[in-house]
């Protein structure tokens, strides 16, 4: 998998480095990498566990962002192509 195939959005600016949006963006990049890895190595259970942990953290951050700023959450999920859980 080439490194250029990761998602590139303008959340990497230095003053927005720790924002919820940039954290979700970086976790989504990790999910893409781990998903690709687990498709190639389907019996690597420790990587699967890591993927589940990253997905759980991203889900918690998305729920928090949805509660605090639903418009920003909707824009972010549209840009990243991910879904928000209906359970809040």
């Amino acid at each position: 998998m080439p490194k250029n195939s990761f998602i590139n959005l303008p959340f990497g600016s230095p003053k927005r480095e720790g924002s919820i949006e940039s954290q979700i963006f970086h976790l989504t990049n990790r999910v893409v990498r781990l998903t690709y890895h687990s498709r190639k190595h389907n019996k690597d259970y420790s990587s699967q566990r890591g993927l589940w942990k990253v997905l759980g953290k991203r889900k918690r951050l998305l729920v928090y962002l949805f509660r605090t700023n639903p418009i920003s959450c909707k824009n972010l999920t549209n840009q990243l192509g991910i879904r928000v859980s209906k359970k809040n």
Side-chain angles (χ1 to χ4, degrees):
M1 177 172 181
K3 289 191 180 231
N4 296 336
S5 67
F6 296 130
I7 303 165
N8 292 320
L9 289 177
F11 297 119
S13 66
K15 58 181 157 178
R16 296 193 44 104
E17 192 69 31
S19 68
I20 299 296
E21 292 91 353
S22 67
Q23 290 181 40
I24 293 171
F25 165 71
H26 290 298
L27 288 173
T28 302
N29 275 339
R30 286 188 64 194
V31 166
V32 168
R33 283 194 322 237
L34 285 171
T35 303
Y36 176 77
H37 174 80
S38 65
R39 285 188 182 146
K40 281 187 94 171
H41 310 281
N42 57 353
K43 293 193 178 186
D44 187 359
Y45 299 116
S46 18
S47 290
Q48 284 181 9
R49 182 172 186 265
L51 176 63
W52 293 334
K53 287 175 72 98
V54 170
L55 285 171
K57 184 168 188 165
R58 185 179 75 173
K59 179 181 174 184
R60 288 190 304 271
L61 286 172
L62 281 169
V63 167
Y64 172 77
L65 184 62
F66 184 76
R67 286 183 190 158
T68 57
N69 193 354
I71 296 169
S72 175
C73 182
K74 183 173 172 64
N75 292 337
L76 180 66
T77 54
N78 286 340
Q79 288 176 344
L80 294 176
I82 56 178
R83 295 177 289 171
V84 180
S85 175
K86 298 294 182 191
K87 302 175 189 175
N88 292 335

